Every structure is written in structure tokens, then in C-alpha cells.
């Protein structure tokens, strides 16, 4: 046997052993034997670099540092699922389907709590893994996915195969990861889903390998091409192709059977080695699925039954108050740390004073908490029957806990406000908001840094941010402030002066003006001066800006201190205008774009499509270059498609093209 043949043999064997171990849970060789063969392979490969293969078992364990993740357009949109939260809603869902298809059966599966991923195979080889992204465009995370040992690099099917499923972090990996983070004094991950998503987007593939992700497959795209006609057959076919498919699925013929599966799953949930947040119920037959179709976001033939949030008992140790940017006072519960839905919780929001009164909460009460949407912890109720002599009343203060000025509560409002515009807490929060990601997005000015600068007297107003460069030397005298770091921060601040008006408007924190309204206003008026001069009625006449917002905007600009702030920002060189959007109709993705048509379209001729695009404001070109924004590829597209893929230009199929044309 030549060395080349031995390399090929070892690759085949090691791949087979990995599947036996990680997918079938039935290894035929010892770990020792596996390691020995792997070493032999690594040794041979190092002597034959010309035989490099990214799919070799040896490559899964080599850390690589990536430059970034390329965007990839999904050939078939990656849909999400509609949710139902109780028995009635679920019953309504299945009964609607039984009305159309009395013989329909449903496949019930776990709803794995991770991130959706598409895997592509060509000629039996793994070629690419892409995240869901926004459903249309995802990111190429092939190199990180390759480190997941249960994902086959070879499958016994030569045609192009795309399968989809969930990448997740097993509970044990998550615990180990957070223990490690803790010992290194690094921030903890909130839950296994976030940890999995962060791991998949890490540029160092060594990180993904160490953190031990796994994957379950549940979707076979274009299964019909391979004789697959139902979800049941899809799961079976994927198993045959060596994909890891959970065996916890069941074909159900009646609602009773479906509900039984859900109840049984609910009982098993806590003891499963991975997180699930519900059960997915899918109409089995593909022909019936096709007739029902999909909405823009989710199929009509499937739904997710979500388990109620896990509720846990603990003790309310204290109630603290925070003052927000608008002066709103938020009470927070300080809790005896307790594990909820996979993470340790020691604080929860109490929303407002009414909530505390309504729940009759007392310090040291036993309370029930849960995570709203499984993320933000909240107190659900108190357990007054468990009170002992240690309880104390919580007295809502009359004065702001930070500046001491009298708090105000308007008659019909649940919230209490500190109305002192000079309250240090309010000032700090508004500066943090100004610098934040959706506002001026100033690199290096996260909440901790801003709080430090505020505390040390460097930044007491928004204007001070742009005066910071004058105090560079002073900053350098503090521990931890290096030349390089300080200059980077100052450069970030300088760069933010170029941000468009919409971000500035949002950053100013005008009441009722969120980021969307800020964009509308900036597009409508173009400059700060034009906006500042607009009357209340002119503002209210803008689509989506209501009367309340119009009044709030007008009153903001009528206050002299706000005008003074804008004047000084202008004098310091902060941009006060919005670049014109060339695309007149924002909903039309073709306006102003250079588009290339290639291949044969089934519903219209090339010239008809060209006219359609031109009517939408596109510039239709005959050849693909770096300047091309989009390629629309019909059947049998050839070299133009290849070139577009090489250049990383988005490619849409005819279906997607027509969907976008008809959307507006
Ligand atoms: S099917 C068209 N099956 O849940 C079919 N999704 O909330 C779309 N998910 O984006 C998905 N377990 O990431 C399906 N057994 C399962 C699932 C599952 C988890 C995720 C998936 C999807 C999300 C929707």
C-alpha cells in the first residue's frame, strides 16, 4: 500500500470511528486505538502536504484563526417557527390542518435550544456550514462547525445535500465553560444558547473545539430529490446518511397522542443532557406541507409548543433603586442566588412601585421567580405564608436615591421619576446612551468606561466627550491608561463626529424618539436645522410620528439648554445631517443597485425581467464584476454564477427574486 493509499484509508477509518462514537454511541475501537491511528495519519500528512484535505479527521483538531465570516445567501430561505403557549392554541393549530387533511399525521420532536445551522455536502463531502442569519443571508461558519465531532465530513450520497438542524452546547459543556470563565474572572454566559452562538462566531476555531458543541439534524432540504416524502422519512434518511438525529420523535395520529408526547417530554426535560424549550409539531407529509405553504417567516405546517418558564423559589434579600436616563426609578430585587433555566440568578427587576405594593412584597420574603422569555429574571409572586419574624417593610422613598431631589409621580402613571435634569445618575445614563451601539456607537465608550470617566470628573455632559482629547495627559496619569489605548479611544470619539444625523438624534435621548423614529426624522428633514424649525403639526403629519411624539420633539428643541448643547456639538464638528438615500422606496431592494441576470428564468423572459428591474430603479448589467450588487440566477446558470460566488456577491434564485418584486 502506498503512503497515499494509507492516508486515504486512515481518513476513512477515523471518520467511520468518529461516527460510531459520536453519532451511534457504539464505538468499535478503543480510544487508545483511535488516537494511535490519528497520530499515524498526522505523521503521514505532515510528510505529504500535497495531499492536504480540509475534511481530513486531523483537521478537526487544528486551531485556525479566521479573518471573519463571509455572508452567504440561502438557496432556500431558513424559516423560523410560530409559537403556541397552551393546549388550546395547539389544538386549534392541528384541527385547522385536520380540516384540510383528515388523514394527516404529525411528527413531534424536541425543540432544541441552540442556533439553527445549514450543512451543505457536495459529491459526498462536507463543503459548508451557514448560520440562519436573517433567514435570507447567513454567515459561513464552516471552520468552526468542522470542529463538532458528530458532524460527518463524508456522507454516502453524491448529489448535493443540504440538511439543517440545531447546534447547541450540552449542559455539561456549559457548566464547565462557566466554571472556567469564573476562575479566569471572565464574564459568565447567560445560558447555553448564548454560549453556543458566541462559540460559533469566535474567530479562533480552537475555541469551538474546546467548548464541545454538538448538533441534532431535523430538516432535509429538497428531500424529494432523494425519495424522501415526509418528515418521518427525512429523519430516517438523515440517520442513514450518518447524521445525528435525536431518536426522541414520535409520529402522532391524534391530539391525545401529541399531548402525551408533550407531557412526557416536560417530565424528562430537566434530566436531559441538553436544553430544550418546547416541542415542535410538524405535519408529516411533504405534499400536504407544500399545499399549506409558509408565511414570510414561518411554515404554516409546523408550530412550536413552548414550555412555560421554569419557576423557582428563593429569598428577597433587599430592594434597591436605580435611576434611568429619563429619571425613571426602577426597583430591583436582590435575591439569594438560585439556579433558574440553567443560570445562577441573584437579581431581578420589580418594574415599579405598584408591582411591589400589588405583590405585597416585604424584605426577606420567600418569592417565586422566573425568567421572562427565558432571559430576564422577574419576581412572579411572594409567598406570605412562609414569612418569619425577619421580614421588614420596604418603604418607597420620597427622594431620589442619588441626588436627593423630590421624586414625582404623575396621576395616571405607574412610574416615579427624578425630574432633576442635573441628577448625576440621569446624566451618566444619558451619556452612556449617547455613546451606545445604536446611537453614536463610540468604540471604547461602553458603560463601564463612561461610568469611570464620569466618576473621575472627566465627563459630566455629552459635550465633555468631545473635550476629552484636551485632557489626554491627565488621563495618562491614571493606572491602566496607556498611550495606545487612550489614543484609540480618542480616535473612536473623533470618528463618531461623522455619524449620521439619525444616530445623533437617537443619542440625544429625546422622549418618544427611538431609533426608528430618529431615522424617519433624519430622512424627512435631512439636517438638524430643518428639524429644529419644524412646527408640531408639521412633525405630527409625518407618517408613523404621532401627536405625542411631535409634542415631545418640539418641546425638546424649545428648551434653551438643548439648543445650546446642539450648538456646541455643531461647533465641535459633529455632523448634523443625514446622507440622502438614493433608493427612493426603501422597501425596494433593487433601486440604485447593479444587477446581473443569468441562466433561464421559468416565469418570464430575460428582457421582461430586465424591464421589471429597471422599472424598480436597478441598473441591469451583462457581466459580473466587483461592482455588481446582486446576481439573479435561473436554471442552468453558468460562469456568471461561478464568478458571483467567487466574488462573494449575493445570488438570488428566481423564487426569491419574484418574492422581493411582489413584496412592495
Ligand atoms: S424546524 C421549516 N425543528 O427553533 C422548519 N426547528 O423557533 C423550521 N428548532 O429556527 C425549523 N428544534 O432553530 C425545527 N426540532 C426542530 C427544532 C427547531 C429547534 C429551532 C430552529 C428554529 C427555531 C424556531
Amino acid at each position: 500500500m502506498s503512503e497515499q493509499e494509507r492516508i486515504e484509508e486512515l481518513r476513512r477509518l477515523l471518520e467511520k470511528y468518529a461516527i460510531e462514537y459520536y453519532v451511534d454511541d457504539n464505538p468499535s475501537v478503543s480510544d487508545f486505538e483511535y488516537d494511535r491511528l490519528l497520530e499515524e495519519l498526522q505523521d503521514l500528512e505532515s510528510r505529504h502536504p500535497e495531499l492536504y484535505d480540509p475534511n481530513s479527521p486531523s483537521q478537526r483538531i487544528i486551531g485556525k484563526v479566521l479573518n471573519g465570516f463571509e455572508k452567504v445567501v440561502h438557496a432556500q430561505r431558513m424559516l423560523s417557527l410560530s409559537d403556541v403557549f397552551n393546549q388550546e392554541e395547539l389544538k386549534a393549530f392541528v384541527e385547522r390542518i385536520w380540516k384540510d387533511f383528515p388523514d394527516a399525521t404529525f411528527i413531534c420532536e424536541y425543540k432544541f435550544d441552540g442556533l439553527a445551522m445549514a450543512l451543505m455536502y457536495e459529491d459526498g463531502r462536507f463543503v459548508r456550514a451557514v448560520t440562519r442569519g436573517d433567514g435570507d443571508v447567513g454567515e459561513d461558519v464552516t471552520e468552526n462547525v468542522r470542529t463538532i465531532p458528530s458532524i460527518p465530513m463524508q456522507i454516502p450520497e453524491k448529489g448535493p445535500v443540504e440538511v439543517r438542524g440545531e447546534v447547541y452546547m450540552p449542559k455539561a459543556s456549559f457548566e464547565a465553560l462557566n466554571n472556567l470563565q469564573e476562575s479566569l474572572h471572565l464574564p459568565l454566559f447567560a445560558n447555553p444558547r448564548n454560549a453556543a452562538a458566541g462559540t460559533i462566531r469566535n474567530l479562533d476555531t480552537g475555541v469551538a473545539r474546546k467548548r464541545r458543541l454538538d448538533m441534532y439534524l431535523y430538516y432535509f432540504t429538497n428531500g424529494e430529490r432523494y425519495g424522501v416524502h415526509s418528515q418521518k422519512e427525512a429523519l430516517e434518511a438523515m440517520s442513514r446518511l450518518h447524521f445525528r438525529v435525536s431518536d426522541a420523535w414520535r409520529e402522532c395520529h391524534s391530539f391525545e397522542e401529541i399531548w402525551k408526547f408533550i407531557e412526557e417530554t416536560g417530565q424528562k426535560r430537566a434530566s436531559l443532557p441538553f436544553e430544550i424549550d418546547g416541542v415542535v409539531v410538524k405535519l408529516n407529509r411533504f405534499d400536504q406541507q407544500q399545499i399549506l405553504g409558509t408565511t414570510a417567516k414561518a411554515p404554516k405546517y409546523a408550530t412550536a409548543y413552548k414550555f412555560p418558564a421554569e419557576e423557582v423559589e428563593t429569598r428577597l434579600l433587599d430592594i434597591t433603586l436605580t435611576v434611568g436616563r429619563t429619571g425613571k426609578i426602577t426597583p430591583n430585587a436582590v435575591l439569594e442566588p438560585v439556579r433558574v433555566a440553567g443560570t445562577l440568578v441573584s437579581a431581578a427587576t420589580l418594574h415599579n412601585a405598584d408591582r411591589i405594593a400589588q405583590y405585597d412584597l416585604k424584605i426577606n420574603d420567600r418569592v417565586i421567580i422566573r425568567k421572562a422569555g427565558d432571559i430576564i429574571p422577574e419576581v412572579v409572586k411572594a409567598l406570605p405564608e412562609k414569612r418569619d419574624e425577619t421580614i421588614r417593610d420596604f418603604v418607597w422613598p420620597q427622594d431620589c436615591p442619588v441626588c436627593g431631589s423630590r421624586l414625582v409621580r404623575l396621576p395616571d402613571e405607574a412610574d416615579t421619576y427624578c425630574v432633576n435634569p442635573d441628577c448625576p445618575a440621569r446624566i451618566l445614563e444619558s451619556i452612556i446612551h449617547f455613546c451606545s451601539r445604536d446611537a453614536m456607537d463610540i468604540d471604547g465608550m461602553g458603560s463601564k468606561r463612561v461610568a469611570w470617566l464620569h466618576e473621575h470628573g472627566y465627563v459630566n455632559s455629552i459635550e465633555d466627550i468631545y473635550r476629552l482629547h484636551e485632557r489626554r495627559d491627565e488621563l495618562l496619569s491614571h493606572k491602566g491608561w496607556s498611550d495606545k489605548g487612550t489614543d484609540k479611544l480618542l480616535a473612536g470619539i473623533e470618528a463618531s463626529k461623522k455619524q449620521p444625523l439619525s444616530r445623533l438624534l437617537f443619542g440625544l435621548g429625546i422622549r418618544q424618539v427611538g431609533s426608528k423614529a430618529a431615522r424617519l426624522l433624519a430622512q424627512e428633514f435631512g439636517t438638524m436645522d430643518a428639524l429644529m424649525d419644524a412646527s408640531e403639526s408639521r412633525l405630527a403629519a409625518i407618517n408613523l410620528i404621532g401627536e405625542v411624539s411631535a409634542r415631545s420633539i418640539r418641546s425638546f428643541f424649545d428648551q434653551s439648554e438643548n439648543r445650546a448643547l446642539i450648538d456646541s456639538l455643531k461647533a465641535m464638528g459633529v455632523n448634523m445631517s443625514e446622507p440622502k438615500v438614493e433608493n427612493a422606496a426603501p422597501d425596494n431592494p433593487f433601486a440604485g443597485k447593479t444587477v446581473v441576470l443569468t441562466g433561464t428564468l421559468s416565469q418570464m423572459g430575460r428582457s421582461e425581467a430586465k424591464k421589471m428591474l429597471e422599472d424598480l430603479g436597478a441598473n441591469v448589467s451583462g457581466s459580473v464584476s466587483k461592482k455588481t450588487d446582486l446576481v439573479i440566477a435561473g436554471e442552468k446558470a453558468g460562469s456568471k454564477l461561478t464568478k458571483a460566488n467567487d466574488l462573494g456577491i449575493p445570488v438570488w434564485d428566481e423564487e426569491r427574486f419574484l418574492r422581493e418584486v411582489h413584496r412592495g
Side-chain angles (χ1 to χ4, degrees), residues 79-83 109-117 132 165-166 218-219 231 277 280 282 299 301-302 304 306:
L79 296 169
S80 158
L81 287 168
S82 61
D83 290 326
E109 299 167 11
Y110 286 169
K111 185 169 187 307
F112 307 103
D113 201 6
L115 64 150
M117 188 73 65
R132 190 167 93 88
E166 204 83 352
Y218 49 65
Y219 188 81
Q231 177 63 9
D277 59 342
V280 184
K282 301 176 180 173
Y301 52 80
K306 295 293 259 308

Side-chain angles (χ1 to χ4, degrees), residues 42 52 54 56-67 142-148 202-211:
Q42 282 171 320
Y52 168 79
S56 167
S58 62
Q59 292 300 310
R60 294 193 195 232
I61 53 168
I62 291 179
K64 290 189 193 125
V65 178
L66 312 171
N67 292 324
T142 309
E143 295 307 321
N144 277 334
V145 167
R146 206 192 290 288
T147 68
I148 301 177
N202 200 299
L203 288 170
D204 179 353
T205 67
V207 169
R209 179 170 57 85
K210 280 193 222 110
R211 288 190 188 165

